[in-house]
Amino acid sequence: MYRLLSALIALSSLQACGGECDFAHSMCGAQAPGDVVIGILMPCHHKVKAPDKRIRPESYHCSDFDLRSFMRSLAMIHEIDEINAAGFLPGVRLGYMMCDTCSFASTALQNVEYMLAVNSSLNVNCDYSDFRPSVKIILGAVYSEVSIAVARLLSVYMIPLLSSRSSAQDLSDKRRYPAFLRTIPSDKHQTKAIGQLMHYFGWNWVGVVYVDDEYGSAAFQSFLKDAEENSVCLNYNEVLPDSLDNSQRLPRIKQVAERIRSSTARVVLLILKPVLVEALFKEMIRTNTSRTWIASDAWSRSRSIAQMEGIDKVGDILGFTFVTGKNESFDKYLKNLTVTPGGYNHFIEEYKNLRFNCTPECFSDKAPSYCPSPDELKMKADNACNVKDPQEQNDDHLVTALDTSDAFLHRLSVWATANALKKLLKCNGSSCLGEINFPPWKLLEELKKVQFEFENSSFLFDKYGDFEDSYNLIIWEKDGDHRRFLKIGNYHVINKQIELENKDFIWFSTANTTIPQSRCSERCAPGSFKKILNASCCHNCTLCVAGTFSAEWDLRTCQRCPNGTWSLRGWSQCKQRQESFLRWSDPLPIILAAAAMFGILLLFVTFIIFLVNRNSPPMKRAEVRLSCVMMAGLSVSFASVIWFIGRPNVHLCRARQMMYALGFTLCMSCVLVKAFRTFLAFLPFGQLTSRRLHKLYKPLVIIIVITSLQGVICLLWLIFDSPDVDDTPPQPQSMTHLIHCREGHTYIGFGVMLSYIGLLALIGFLLAFKGRKVPQEFSETGNIIFSMLMYLFIWVCFIPVYIINNESSTTVQTSAILVSSYGIIFCHFSPKCYQVLLKSNTETLERILNKWRAISSPKHDVVTEMNIDFPRVTVSAEKSDSFIISSTSPTVCSSGTLCISAYTTLVKNRKMTRTRSISC
């Protein structure tokens, strides 16, 4: 009875065509009976012959057997047989009807009409809710262009169309394609994955070649948006027509190949069918052109392309593929192809004829017209001419020549249908209670809700009728003279991230693990930003200005540093500015402090020496009391250096300048008194002038007045333009924040204070210089001259250095204070200490005056009378040209000071001697 039923179905199929039409043999060439029939739309042939020359609505003629699609169709047939054998639907047998679309939408529509015909006809109704064709669901098609056309038609009847390869984004639109579902993600995810892949490898300058059908155009438009989001720019985009035959296609292929060769883009995305990719690669191999190719899902696992001769010359090939999985049972089935009992499969017959039929004449240079195409001849078995009956022959060619794991999604579509039927037919462990001849829209309803397990994974459709599964990222690695597919990562649709599992693969372009480059411009390193030129990916790299930074590659702008941080030009991060001042932990401040303390210690030792030897002649000539006042002023000056060290504050800024100003002024006032004393004692003046100058010689008054005047200057300075911590912001190109004192906003007080001390030094120098011929034993003119010159030289040098080098102004001033203070010590106190400790102090006045006579001018004829502080000696002069010491008899003057009892001066050219008593 079963065989009789099958025969009746086959007979009715033939009668449905009418007349001479054998549609079941030519197009729907595989069929098996069943309670529920599943339609299968697969392109067992690559193309329709001359569709552009078709005038009459005659039958289509297909050519170029598609071995890969044939294998996929066998996977669905085998899975249907497996479900029937396993009793998955108790009491219900699944049948199938497989039709060849020939990769052409019009042929597919003709196939659908044949599948849906009831009693050899399709009636036009207003309502198809109770339309019950024998075919309840159609699995297919492969290409999106075909699926779009078929889905439009099936939406009228609400018959589900379940595809495992059509990935066009438009098919997710349920308003236009409400009956379409698929076991793969939409192309919108694939183009996102491709955009992220380019971004991951740093490729931002690419070319695109796409086919001019719905699949190619939609994928290209989707890629444009994703490319922009990933900062990828197109150098060019080219379109290849899908409708042209080989003779018309070749010139266009050469044009596109030339565009690829002339472009600077080293990465090319191909959104093409395998047959177009193969034609393009032949031209690339012929011209020895190597690029990095990114494959769309349509050809990313094409074994025929991977086994092309010279495929290694084209360069690297990467692509995204859908989920795959091997099945041992299916591989065994392919090695022993048999037709489902009660059915037929003319496609298996055609394949076996191509594989095992002996046609040696087809391999000659002048092959007959009935011979298969050159690509089909590659299927021919080596032992074909030794086979008696091709239909009885089997081998493992389909398993070795093709990647059978590529059929996983087609097997999955069969199981999705079976699980939906199980729900719809209310199947339990022993039977199915539901209606067998149901309207197809009920199966569509169940399919949208189905959730099932298959090979340890869970699957379900989203609201758009798509599977949200992941993509496999593969690279075509070298396999002898051919290529094989190596999985290197995944793209997760849900979290939209690429995950690389293998990063150590070898690139053809670089012959190592170094990633090939394809950029319009070099990448901009952290610390710079992109200055866009004519295209968003073509740019110049410009360094970030001070105060901004860029922490990543290829940023379009630099970010401002957060508050409290700063960056220099071209920096990739912001840092805290380092505060700069004389820290106690740094070597230089320690040296300065040690020098100041040593100076104070030296003054203390000198004070002890002066105090112990205060009655010795050198000390009396140095005037101990005046020297002690000088030591006190220098001690304060040395102590001021200490306040230059440490973090400045307003109190330290004021204290250190006041201490130095008053301390050093006190010292300078004492030096000025000494210079003035010598000036009055030994230089010749008239009696009237001498008396007037003598009245001005009041040491205590001079010291107090001079120091008080400096005090007034400092007080006015503090009131009107007080020193403070400088709040000037650092220079933009400096990471050092200088914390130092500003000596007022105008620096006038600071300048007047230093100028006043400089004026005292200059006056002291002039007074000492005037009396420079006075013997050193009587005065300290040499010491004063040298110390004042040293001070003036130091501070004249200090001013420009202080102004120019603001960062080191504190160090410069402390150094100037130390050097000038040490200059006073070594010029004024060290010689006296040396004389007291190491030299004899019995120098007589006779030798002193002999020196004076030798250097004094002979033209003076007057003698002045004044008070000077010297040891008690008596000098008399005879009538001669030389001084003679007559006696030394100290006397006490009414003032209580020691006096010279006789001071004789020889007046040249006069025969007389004068003797005067000079009050000390």
Side-chain angles (χ1 to χ4, degrees):
M1 290 296 293
Y2 181 76
R3 291 180 178 273
L4 179 61
L5 180 61
S6 300
L8 289 174
I9 292 175
L11 181 60
S12 64
S13 300
L14 292 174
Q15 291 174 347
C17 291
E20 298 179 354
C21 176
D22 188 7
F23 193 85
H25 184 274
S26 62
M27 293 297 177
C28 295
Q31 188 170 337
D35 300 310
V36 177
V37 178
I38 298 174
I40 300 174
L41 282 180
M42 293 297 289
C44 288
H45 293 84
H46 281 296
K47 60 184 179 180
V48 173
K49 291 183 178 179
D52 55 326
K53 297 179 181 179
R54 190 169 182 264
I55 299 176
R56 298 174 60 184
E58 300 172 325
S59 60
Y60 290 101
H61 298 280
C62 302
S63 64
D64 295 348
F65 193 77
D66 188 343
L67 193 63
R68 188 182 184 193
S69 291
F70 171 63
M71 181 269 293
R72 290 170 175 170
S73 68
L74 291 177
M76 289 186 279
I77 292 173
H78 172 260
E79 215 62 35
I80 291 173
D81 291 342
E82 289 285 297
I83 289 172
N84 288 333
F88 185 77
L89 300 173
V92 178
R93 181 176 181 82
L94 296 180
Y96 60 83
M97 181 184 294
M98 176 182 163
C99 299
D100 182 11
T101 65
C102 301
S103 305
F104 197 60
S106 298
T107 308
L109 291 173
Q110 190 177 14
N111 293 341
V112 172
E113 288 180 349
Y114 177 76
M115 288 180 178
L116 301 184
V118 177
N119 297 324
S120 304
S121 66
L122 265 177
N123 297 323
V124 177
N125 298 321
C126 294
D127 186 357
Y128 291 96
S129 298
D130 200 36
F131 179 59
R132 300 170 187 257
S134 59
V135 174
K136 305 299 183 182
I137 183 173
I138 296 177
L139 305 183
V142 172
Y143 298 115
S144 295
E145 180 185 20
V146 176
S147 292
I148 286 171
V150 173
R152 283 283 195 182
L153 176 60
L154 293 181
S155 296
V156 176
Y157 308 101
M158 291 304 288
I159 297 174
L161 175 64
L162 179 56
S163 175
S164 299
R165 284 289 157 182
S166 299
S167 56
Q169 184 176 349
D170 286 351
L171 289 168
S172 295
D173 187 353
K174 296 299 118 180
R175 293 174 301 174
R176 290 185 289 169
Y177 311 103
F180 179 81
L181 301 98
R182 52 188 165 194
T183 59
I184 56 174
S186 166
D187 262 345
K188 68 179 181 180
H189 301 297
Q190 182 180 195
T191 55
K192 285 182 184 296
I194 292 172
Q196 284 205 17
L197 176 70
M198 293 176 175
H199 180 76
Y200 182 90
F201 288 119
W203 301 327
N204 72 348
W205 192 238
V206 302
V208 179
V209 182
Y210 63 97
V211 65
D212 66 345
D213 60 6
E214 283 84 351
Y215 162 72
S217 300
F220 174 68
Q221 293 301 322
S222 178
F223 172 73
L224 288 179
K225 182 178 68 174
D226 296 317
E228 184 177 358
E229 290 177 358
N230 289 279
S231 301
V232 176
C233 299
L234 266 63
N235 182 215
Y236 61 88
N237 63 86
E238 296 289 340
V239 183
L240 282 177
D242 182 44
S243 58
L244 300 180
D245 59 21
N246 286 336
S247 60
Q248 297 170 312
R249 185 183 293 159
L250 187 58
R252 180 59 184 151
I253 290 287
K254 289 187 175 181
Q255 290 176 2
V256 173
E258 179 59 31
R259 183 73 178 92
I260 293 172
R261 283 193 296 271
S262 62
S263 168
T264 57
R266 311 301 296 178
V267 173
V268 185
L269 170 61
L270 299 181
I271 310 174
L272 301 172
K273 295 179 179 179
V275 63
L276 293 174
V277 176
E278 194 168 346
L280 180 62
F281 275 6
K282 285 179 180 178
E283 182 65 20
M284 295 290 103
I285 293 169
R286 187 185 68 82
T287 57
N288 198 26
T289 302
S290 176
R291 292 290 185 272
T292 297
W293 310 90
I294 298 180
S296 64
D297 62 89
W299 66 276
S300 57
R301 291 184 69 91
S302 174
R303 184 67 67 91
S304 61
I305 298 175
Q307 294 181 346
M308 285 179 62
E309 184 178 352
I311 187 64
D312 288 346
K313 294 181 180 179
V314 301
D316 296 292
I317 302 174
L318 296 93
F320 288 98
T321 67
F322 304 119
V323 178
T324 60
K326 275 278 189 182
N327 184 266
E328 299 256 341
S329 175
F330 177 54
D331 287 353
K332 290 180 181 178
Y333 169 74
L334 293 177
K335 294 176 183 178
N336 187 23
L337 288 177
T338 56
V339 179
T340 303
Y344 60 87
N345 196 324
H346 298 308
F347 301 114
I348 293 179
E349 294 174 8
E350 183 179 358
Y351 163 70
K352 288 190 175 184
N353 283 330
L354 288 171
R355 177 71 179 159
F356 301 111
N357 195 21
C358 182
T359 55
E361 68 278 8
C362 294
F363 290 92
S364 63
D365 293 336
K366 296 182 179 180
S369 59
Y370 61 81
C371 287
S373 67
D375 289 333
E376 290 175 318
L377 286 174
K378 293 178 182 178
M379 294 185 224
K380 192 71 68 177
D382 294 336
N383 62 341
C385 291
N386 298 328
V387 175
K388 294 181 180 180
D389 185 2
Q391 300 305 317
E392 297 297 326
Q393 191 68 26
N394 280 297
D395 64 3
D396 62 353
H397 177 68
L398 290 173
V399 176
T400 57
L402 299 173
D403 181 9
T404 58
S405 66
D406 189 39
F408 174 82
L409 292 172
H410 298 275
R411 295 168 46 228
L412 183 64
S413 66
V414 176
W415 277 101
T417 303
N419 279 275
L421 283 170
K422 192 171 185 177
K423 290 283 186 182
L424 179 63
L425 299 178
K426 302 175 183 178
C427 298
N428 52 36
S430 58
S431 64
C432 293
L433 305 176
E435 182 184 5
I436 298 297
N437 189 22
F438 55 85
W441 63 265
K442 289 188 177 182
L443 180 57
L444 175 62
E445 193 175 30
E446 288 297 333
L447 267 175
K448 291 181 178 180
K449 298 183 293 183
V450 72
Q451 183 172 356
F452 63 98
E453 298 286 331
F454 182 66
E455 295 190 358
N456 301 320
S457 296
S458 179
F459 298 94
L460 74 160
F461 296 98
D462 64 12
K463 62 180 181 180
Y464 303 108
D466 305 330
F467 272 11
E468 286 192 346
D469 209 346
S470 62
Y471 289 92
N472 292 335
L473 174 60
I474 63 170
I475 189 169
W476 293 25
E477 67 173 354
K478 187 176 178 62
D479 184 23
D481 293 333
H482 304 298
R483 299 288 186 92
R484 63 185 175 194
F485 312 124
L486 174 66
K487 180 185 175 184
I488 59 173
N490 296 288
Y491 174 79
H492 300 284
V493 171
I494 296 176
N495 59 17
K496 301 177 182 179
Q497 292 294 326
I498 284 182
E499 179 183 350
L500 250 64
E501 300 171 353
N502 181 5
K503 299 181 181 180
D504 297 329
F505 53 87
I506 303 298
W507 296 85
F508 272 86
S509 306
T510 59
N512 52 39
T513 57
T514 304
I515 300 172
Q517 296 296 308
S518 181
R519 304 184 63 85
C520 179
S521 304
E522 290 298 323
R523 297 187 68 188
C524 292
S528 61
F529 69 98
K530 296 190 296 186
K531 188 175 183 180
I532 305 301
L533 301 177
N534 56 330
S536 61
C537 298
C538 301
H539 56 264
N540 290 328
C541 294
T542 305
L543 294 178
C544 295
V545 299
T548 63
F549 74 102
S550 61
E552 298 177 5
W553 289 82
D554 294 330
L555 292 181
R556 296 195 174 190
T557 57
C558 295
Q559 299 176 345
R560 288 194 174 277
C561 289
N563 290 335
T565 61
W566 194 253
S567 67
L568 298 184
R569 185 170 181 263
W571 275 27
S572 61
Q573 60 181 338
C574 296
K575 298 179 180 179
Q576 291 284 344
R577 271 184 163 134
Q578 183 180 3
E579 293 184 343
S580 175
F581 55 88
L582 295 180
R583 303 174 187 272
W584 283 103
S585 57
D586 294 339
L588 180 59
I590 293 175
I591 293 172
L592 294 174
M597 297 304 296
F598 181 75
I600 295 174
L601 179 63
L602 197 61
L603 287 171
F604 180 73
V605 172
T606 304
F607 173 73
I608 298 299
I609 294 173
F610 269 59
L611 191 63
V612 171
N613 299 279
R614 61 185 178 276
N615 294 321
S616 62
M619 293 303 173
K620 290 182 178 180
R621 290 196 297 270
E623 185 55 50
V624 175
R625 288 172 296 179
L626 205 58
S627 297
C628 290
V629 176
M630 288 178 63
M631 292 180 201
L634 287 177
S635 297
V636 174
S637 181
F638 275 123
S640 69
V641 173
I642 305 299
W643 304 117
F644 281 84
I645 303 172
R647 184 183 180 88
N649 57 53
V650 62
H651 304 296
L652 289 179
C653 292
R654 295 171 180 174
R656 67 191 191 183
Q657 296 295 353
M658 300 306 108
M659 289 178 65
Y660 166 70
L662 296 175
F664 209 81
T665 301
L666 180 62
C667 177
M668 293 299 295
S669 64
C670 295
V671 173
L672 191 62
V673 167
K674 288 187 176 186
F676 189 47
R677 182 191 65 181
T678 304
F679 179 77
L680 293 178
F682 287 98
L683 292 183
F685 296 105
Q687 291 185 6
L688 181 59
T689 303
S690 178
R691 290 191 187 96
R692 290 176 179 174
L693 291 175
H694 178 73
K695 292 179 180 179
L696 294 176
Y697 183 69
K698 305 293 183 182
L700 182 60
V701 175
I702 293 174
I703 292 171
I704 292 173
V705 170
I706 291 176
T707 307
S708 298
L709 187 56
Q710 181 69 287
V712 172
I713 293 173
C714 291
L715 182 61
L716 294 174
W717 181 16
L718 289 175
I719 293 172
F720 295 106
D721 195 16
S722 176
D724 200 350
V725 179
D726 193 355
D727 56 0
T728 304
Q731 293 294 324
Q733 287 300 325
S734 174
M735 284 302 294
T736 301
H737 186 190
L738 184 62
I739 309 295
H740 69 132
C741 293
R742 177 179 56 192
E743 313 306 340
H745 289 84
T746 61
Y747 285 83
I748 293 176
F750 184 59
V752 171
M753 180 270 288
L754 291 180
S755 300
Y756 180 72
I757 299 176
L759 178 63
L760 296 179
L762 181 62
I763 294 173
F765 167 75
L766 293 176
L767 291 175
F769 185 78
K770 195 70 175 176
R772 65 188 180 280
K773 294 183 180 181
V774 176
Q776 184 66 23
E777 292 81 352
F778 272 121
S779 68
E780 302 176 53
T781 54
N783 298 338
I784 295 173
I785 290 173
F786 189 76
S787 63
M788 295 301 100
L789 278 177
M790 180 185 296
Y791 175 84
L792 292 172
F793 176 77
I794 291 170
W795 288 93
V796 167
C797 295
F798 160 78
I799 293 172
V801 174
Y802 185 89
I803 295 173
I804 295 172
N805 194 356
N806 190 43
E807 294 182 359
S808 302
S809 59
T810 303
T811 305
V812 171
Q813 187 175 0
T814 53
S815 301
I817 292 171
L818 289 173
V819 174
S820 56
S821 298
Y822 273 108
I824 300 293
I825 292 175
F826 291 120
C827 290
H828 287 267
F829 303 133
S830 296
K832 301 303 178 185
C833 295
Y834 175 76
Q835 291 175 13
V836 168
L837 299 176
L838 299 178
K839 292 186 67 175
S840 172
N841 56 4
T842 59
E843 188 113 39
T844 63
L845 185 61
E846 179 184 2
R847 285 187 293 177
I848 295 173
L849 294 180
N850 282 335
K851 292 179 183 179
W852 167 250
R853 180 179 177 277
I855 63 176
S856 61
S857 173
K859 297 181 180 181
H860 296 307
D861 57 356
V862 295
V863 179
T864 61
E865 180 181 331
M866 63 174 141
N867 292 328
I868 55 173
D869 297 333
F870 287 124
R872 292 172 292 175
V873 292
T874 301
V875 183
S876 64
E878 299 294 336
K879 184 180 175 181
S880 67
D881 290 340
S882 61
F883 285 100
I884 301 173
I885 303 214
S886 59
S887 64
T888 58
S889 57
T891 60
V892 180
C893 302
S894 60
S895 62
T897 60
L898 295 175
C899 302
I900 297 179
S901 59
Y903 183 77
T904 306
T905 302
L906 176 64
V907 180
K908 194 173 182 178
N909 299 325
R910 292 189 180 181
K911 305 293 186 176
M912 61 179 296
T913 301
R914 279 186 173 177
T915 303
R916 295 276 178 95
S917 175
I918 301 177
S919 172
C920 299

